[in-house]
Amino acid sequence: MKKKSIAILPGDGVGPEVIKQAIKVLDAISDFADIEFDYQYGDIGGKALDRHNTPLPKETLQLCTSCDAVLLGAIGDPKWDSGPADKRPERGLLGLRKELGLFANLRPARVFSALENASTLKKEIISGVDILIVRELTGGLYFGTPAEDQGDKAYNTMVYTQKEVDRIADIAFAAAAMRRQKLTSVDKANVLLVSQLWRRRVKQISQTHPNITMNHMYVDNCAMQLVRNPGQFDVILTGNLFGDILSDEASMLTGSLGMLPSASLGESRALYEPVHGSAPDIAGQNKANPIAMIASVAMMFRYSFKMKNCATRIENAINRVLTEGLRTVDIADSNTTAVSTEQMGTAIAEKCL
Ligand code: IPM
Ligand code: MG
């Protein structure tokens, strides 16, 4: 029997609720594929601040480096919002991404045909949309130095090295090669020097991929094109900040932020988490949509465990429950009674058996 150890970091808000549904699905897959999972729980974010006075305890980091993959629920707790910068829950996640070297963040936004009416956009605009956002995750404005709050003045620095651009571009071109051979690189090269370097490098690298149609797009235009004509996009390659913003925007094409999974990959480590945050307003109410979390588990099977059959099984299970009409409140319309987090999780897990 195969064995896999998974670091489980439920985190804050709705994190623990959606993680619980992910475990149901993993248990079902364990039966189906004859794999044994060793779940190792750790604290991060607000939970870790409560218990260890740091958003990323050493034990958690150790746990994550010793396991085959990391599953994370969500981060963020309003209780800690007004504290000093190093005592914010988000620091835990940013620290973990940096420490594990998770530079490549893959965020697929695919419109399920059963949910074509769930988006705020017209059906004919979003029908068939299938976009992969490749977001650089350990550089750019999030990590650039110098960065300081001096009280009456504060600044961050957006910085990318050629090496950082090249390695994320390589990932994006490789992804495009496996998809529809189209890549849009998003920057702000009409204003920012860092984007001019970004554009130069991407252009250079595109020459080694003659089969992939590449275009450059300014980020403001991309934000507009995503709602005007999202069908034009296949792979979107972009930096850390722009990717953060555009992926939330892209989620609305699919009906809800509760639908978007993600994989954060490094040379030797990987972390899987939903794109949504901790949603403190609905935490503990059994209302959150667990699909983003469960689809992140599918990505773990695909990218970390190279078990495509398990990934597809989970994705098919999600598709089937949606086709049967099951909806959590975020994707329900006025004619549908919404199911709870637990009900959605159980229904998907049963279809994975
Ligand atoms: C995301 C989140 C994080 C980010 C926060 C929680 C630090 O918004 O994963 O998109 O900004 O990267
Ligand atoms: Mg975000």
Side-chain angles (χ1 to χ4, degrees), residues 97 105 107 135 142 240-241 243-248 257 274-277:
R97 288 173 179 168
N105 186 214
R107 300 190 155 184
R135 169 190 178 195
Y142 274 54
N240 206 343
L241 180 70
D244 178 48
I245 298 166
L246 295 175
S247 57
D248 267 33
L257 189 51
V275 170
H276 66 70

Side-chain angles (χ1 to χ4, degrees), residues 40-333:
Q40 304 263 0
Y41 284 82
D43 292 327
I44 193 162
K47 275 281 155 46
L49 277 161
D50 288 341
R51 291 186 182 150
H52 314 265
N53 200 32
T54 163
L56 180 59
K58 263 205 278 333
E59 302 79 31
T60 301
L61 193 56
Q62 259 159 21
L63 186 75
C64 294
T65 48
S66 69
C67 287
D68 293 316
V70 183
L71 272 189
L72 186 141
I75 295 264
D77 184 342
K79 182 180 147 191
W80 292 96
D81 272 359
S82 49
D86 63 333
K87 292 266 185 301
R88 287 194 60 116
E90 291 79 5
R91 281 276 133 213
L93 178 57
L94 297 175
L96 191 59
R97 288 173 179 168
K98 193 72 175 176
E99 291 290 334
L100 299 180
L102 309 173
F103 67 90
N105 186 214
L106 311 185
R107 300 190 155 184
R110 188 158 72 85
V111 176
F112 288 88
S113 51
L115 286 187
E116 280 175 346
N117 291 316
S119 173
T120 47
L121 288 149
K122 291 194 194 92
K123 187 174 165 178
E124 56 272 26
I125 300 287
I126 55 144
S127 177
V129 161
D130 182 358
I131 301 173
L132 176 68
I133 298 183
V134 178
R135 169 190 178 195
E136 200 291 328
L137 204 58
T138 51
L141 198 60
Y142 274 54
F143 292 97
T145 51
E148 197 187 357
D149 183 348
Q150 297 175 339
D152 58 348
K153 177 181 163 192
Y155 50 86
N156 289 91
T157 306
M158 191 186 273
V159 49
Y160 271 117
T161 63
Q162 173 169 325
K163 201 174 141 213
E164 285 174 311
V165 179
D166 288 8
R167 67 179 180 178
I168 192 70
D170 285 341
I171 301 264
F173 278 102
M178 314 262 296
R179 293 170 51 99
R180 302 191 306 277
Q181 277 91 32
K182 186 154 188 252
L183 188 148
T184 305
S185 173
V186 174
D187 61 35
K188 187 68 187 172
N190 50 346
V191 177
L192 302 176
L193 297 173
V194 58
S195 286
Q196 288 160 19
L197 172 121
W198 180 281
R199 195 172 271 228
R200 266 198 322 273
R201 291 312 304 163
V202 175
K203 198 170 166 191
Q204 176 88 32
I205 291 168
S206 78
Q207 282 163 12
T208 59
H209 298 275
N211 297 332
I212 293 172
T213 311
M214 193 275 294
N215 66 322
H216 301 284
M217 194 178 273
Y218 297 137
V219 63
D220 47 353
N221 183 24
C222 180
M224 186 263 281
Q225 295 296 339
L226 269 173
V227 287
R228 191 187 78 91
N229 175 20
Q232 72 185 282
F233 297 108
D234 178 13
V235 174
I236 292 179
L237 161 65
T238 192
N240 206 343
L241 180 70
F242 300 157
D244 178 48
I245 298 166
L246 295 175
S247 57
D248 267 33
E249 188 187 2
S251 77
M252 287 318 290
L253 306 170
T254 71
S256 163
L257 189 51
M259 295 297 296
L260 238 63
S262 87
S264 304
L265 311 175
E267 300 291 348
S268 58
R269 311 251 165 249
L271 177 148
Y272 301 86
E273 58 168 326
V275 170
H276 66 70
S278 57
D281 52 323
I282 57 160
Q285 296 176 29
N286 200 14
K287 269 189 191 168
N289 185 347
I291 292 181
M293 182 77 242
I294 293 171
S296 303
V297 173
M299 293 187 87
M300 176 177 77
F301 281 102
R302 178 162 291 118
Y303 293 102
S304 281
F305 302 161
K306 315 281 180 225
M307 293 167 148
K308 205 176 149 214
N309 61 330
C310 296
T312 319
R313 196 168 181 88
I314 297 170
E315 285 156 359
N316 287 345
I318 295 171
N319 206 359
R320 278 166 62 201
V321 298
L322 291 174
T323 309
E324 284 172 12
L326 237 58
R327 303 280 184 271
T328 42
V329 68
D330 55 318
I331 47 175
D333 58 30

